[in-house]
Amino acid sequence: MNKKILLVTLLIIMAGSTGFCQGLSLMTYNIRYATDSDGENSWENRKEFLTDQIRFYSPDIFGIQEGLKLQVDHLQAELTGYDFVGVGRDDGKEKGEYCAVYYKKDKFQLLGHDTFWLSDKPQKPSKGWDAAYERICTYAFFMDKDTGINFWVFNTHFDHVGVEARNRSVELIKNKVDELNKDNFPVFILGDFNLNEQSDAILYMSEHYKDSRQFTEERAFGPFGTFTGFEFHNAVQDRIDYIFCSKEGVRVRKYAVLTDSKHQKYPSDHFPVYVRVFLSR
C-alpha cells in the first residue's frame, strides 16, 4: 500500500477510535453597547470593523454581550447565514442588553431556547441579590445537521458590582444546566463574567467545567487579558471573558484571544475569545 494512503488510513482510524469527530468553532464577544458618550469609539465608528472581524473568523456559534436591539439587528442583517436567539434583559422582549446567541442556520437545527434572569426570580425580568442591574443568561439547544450531534450553548453577562450576585449566578447556571441536560450532551458556557480566574465564582465554574484556555491542546494564542477599555497603548491584563465546556464529550483544540485593530482602534472594549473544539458522538 502506498505510504501516504496508509498514513491517511491510520489517521482516520485513530480519529474514529477517540470518538471525537465533529469540529466546531465558538466565540464570545462583549461588543460594548451603543452610546454616543464613547465619542470616537462610538458604535457608528466601529460597527463595520467589528462586523467584518466576526465575518472573517466565521465562528459556527457566537454569543454577544451588551448588544442593544439596534446592534443585534445590525449583526443579523450584515452577517448573512446566521440566525440568533435572545431577548432584552429589561423587559424580556426588546429593551435593554441582549446576550444573544448567533448560529449558522445551514449547519445547525435549533431545538429549543430561552432566557432566564440571574436572580431568585429567574423566570421574569428581575435584579438579583446585590447586583446593580438586571442580568441574564440566554441558552440554545442545537443539533448538528450533518452528524446529528446535540449540544447546548449558554451565554451570559455577570454583574460588575454584586459579589453575592456573581457567586449565586454561577450556582444558578449550573443548576439550570443540570436541569435541562438530562442526557449529558456537550455544554458550552460563554460570557463576560466580570471576574478574574482566581475569584470564587470562576473557581467554582472551573471545578465543574473545563476552562477552555486551560485545556487547549495547542498553546493559547494572544494575550492573557480580555478587557481593553479601548486603551490601545496600555497592556491588557484583566481576563474576564471565558468559554467553559463540559468535562466529557468536548476536546478543546485551539484557544485564542483576538486582538485585531484598525488605525490603532479596537472594535470593542473587550477582545473576543475564540475556540476550536471537537465533539463526541
Side-chain angles (χ1 to χ4, degrees):
M1 181 181 293
N2 182 283
K3 288 183 179 181
K4 184 178 293 187
I5 295 175
L6 177 60
L7 177 59
V8 171
T9 303
L10 288 173
L11 289 173
I12 292 172
I13 293 172
M14 291 173 63
S17 67
T18 67
F20 290 90
C21 58
Q22 178 59 24
L24 179 69
S25 59
L26 301 100
M27 177 187 287
T28 182
Y29 204 164
N30 183 323
I31 65 171
R32 174 65 178 173
Y33 71 95
T35 172
D36 291 339
S37 64
D38 280 341
E40 61 185 2
N41 292 309
S42 67
W43 175 246
E44 286 300 315
N45 291 337
R46 57 190 177 84
K47 66 180 183 181
E48 180 179 348
F49 183 52
L50 184 145
T51 307
D52 287 345
Q53 181 189 35
I54 297 173
R55 184 183 292 111
F56 177 81
Y57 289 102
S58 189
D60 294 318
I61 307 278
F62 69 94
I64 64 166
Q65 302 86 41
E66 290 198 23
L68 301 180
K69 186 176 186 301
L70 68 93
Q71 295 170 286
V72 171
D73 289 346
H74 168 81
L75 293 178
Q76 176 67 9
E78 295 296 321
L79 296 172
T80 57
Y82 287 93
D83 206 345
F84 80 94
V85 297
V87 297
R89 72 184 185 189
D90 291 2
D91 61 358
K93 297 178 183 177
E94 297 182 345
K95 186 178 179 182
E97 173 193 358
Y98 286 64
C99 286
V101 176
Y102 291 79
Y103 62 97
K104 289 183 176 178
K105 55 190 177 183
D106 64 329
K107 295 189 66 171
F108 307 106
Q109 181 178 343
L110 179 67
L111 301 178
H113 68 93
D114 204 355
T115 295
F116 60 93
W117 278 257
L118 303 181
S119 78
D120 56 5
K121 298 177 181 178
Q123 71 280 4
K124 62 181 182 180
S126 52
K127 190 186 300 184
W129 307 288
D130 57 348
Y133 297 103
E134 294 86 354
R135 299 290 183 173
I136 56 175
C137 180
T138 293
Y139 64 85
F141 185 39
F142 296 106
M143 181 186 73
D144 185 288
K145 292 181 180 181
D146 289 335
T147 66
I149 295 176
N150 295 337
F151 61 95
W152 296 88
V153 176
F154 289 71
N155 179 36
T156 191
H157 186 190
F158 280 12
D159 198 67
H160 65 301
V161 173
V163 175
E164 181 184 4
R166 293 191 289 256
N167 289 334
R168 297 286 290 271
S169 292
V170 289
E171 296 174 358
L172 178 63
I173 290 174
K174 181 184 181 298
N175 289 339
K176 179 62 72 172
V177 171
D178 292 345
E179 172 192 331
L180 293 169
N181 192 29
K182 299 297 187 184
D183 294 315
N184 294 317
F185 293 122
V187 175
F188 298 92
I189 304 172
L190 325 175
D192 173 1
F193 287 76
N194 270 314
L195 289 166
N196 67 46
E197 67 282 355
Q198 295 303 316
S199 63
D200 289 341
I202 296 301
L203 291 174
Y204 177 90
M205 289 293 292
S206 298
E207 179 183 349
H208 296 284
Y209 306 98
K210 290 179 181 177
D211 176 350
S212 57
R213 189 181 196 280
Q214 303 302 325
F215 284 86
T216 179
E217 295 176 354
E218 294 192 11
R219 182 180 299 177
F221 178 76
F224 179 80
T226 63
F227 178 69
T228 73
F230 289 120
E231 297 294 334
F232 184 83
H233 295 289
N234 293 340
V236 178
Q237 298 179 347
D238 294 330
R239 180 183 180 226
I240 60 177
D241 302 272
Y242 300 83
I243 297 179
F244 292 97
C245 59
S246 305
K247 289 190 173 182
E248 303 295 333
V250 181
R251 279 176 51 198
V252 182
R253 188 75 180 95
K254 297 182 179 183
Y255 169 98
V257 174
L258 306 177
T259 62
D260 305 281
S261 63
K262 185 177 182 180
H263 305 311
Q264 298 187 337
K265 298 291 182 185
Y266 293 129
S268 178
D269 61 347
H270 289 242
F271 291 143
V273 177
Y274 175 93
V275 298
R276 287 285 304 176
V277 304
F278 289 109
L279 304 184
S280 64
R281 287 186 180 274

